Amino acid sequence: MIESKQPSRSQNRWIALSATAALLLICAILQRQSGAYSSDLAGHSDEPAHVVTGLMVYDYLGHLLRPGASRPSSPRAFAESYYVHYPKVAIGRWPPLFYLIQAIWMFALGETKAALLVLMLVTTAATAALLFHIMQEINGAFAAFIMATAFLLFPISQQSLFAVMPDALLALLFCAATAVGGGALEGRPRWWIAYGVLTVTAILVHGRGVVLILV
């Protein structure tokens, strides 16, 4: 009887890296072909509010952290003043973490539309790569790659590439929680802690994160 040879750890690592690069390339092609970089940030009715609120957090942190910048009297006064000029500010309507992530990202890449779209690109590609990792252990690398690619072709997944919305980050957190959920169900304390951290993080991104508590 001939035993099938299992891929070595180094081969699995190479397969995972290759699949991640391919999924990132697919995301980049889909996003580029959508015309997202040449269109207004208004692909969804809530998108302008998410973008403006992220810019507000970026500007507020800039006033606090940049040497010589004037210090705002209070976060509320700064938000109210910002709202007078940009009435799409929606802080308080949604949790703050997505806007903080936007702000940190813009400190690194600049306060541009392209930078925000790259954030959506990286987040969506990371979700697809994590799906590949989860499914690879169950169905093998080829089937896992097909499933991850199919995920990127769903209209709702493509919207996460085209619009600056918290849904992409929420999907990544849900997927990560699924990945650690098996260990939590087996009674491993550190996996319960990881699941709890991911749940709290998801709630701080969007109220729909409470679903993880029910799970």
Side-chain angles (χ1 to χ4, degrees), residues 26-92:
I26 292 171
C27 285
I29 293 172
L30 289 172
Q31 190 182 63
R32 191 71 182 179
Q33 289 184 339
S34 72
Y37 289 91
S38 58
S39 61
D40 294 331
L41 292 172
H44 187 279
S45 58
D46 290 334
E47 186 179 12
H50 289 303
V51 173
V52 171
T53 307
L55 286 169
M56 185 196 71
V57 175
Y58 168 81
D59 287 340
Y60 179 76
L61 292 178
H63 281 283
L64 291 180
L65 301 176
R66 291 192 184 101
S70 59
R71 297 293 188 269
S73 57
S74 70
R76 179 173 180 174
F78 185 87
E80 289 175 345
S81 175
Y82 212 90
Y83 183 82
V84 171
H85 297 87
Y86 308 101
K88 278 292 184 179
V89 171
I91 195 72

Side-chain angles (χ1 to χ4, degrees), residues 14 21 51 55 77 97 107 114 118 127 130 135 153 164 166 200 205:
W14 183 86
V51 173
L55 286 169
L97 185 56
F107 274 116
V118 170
T127 305
L130 186 52
M135 299 309 300
L153 297 179
V164 181
V200 172
V205 169

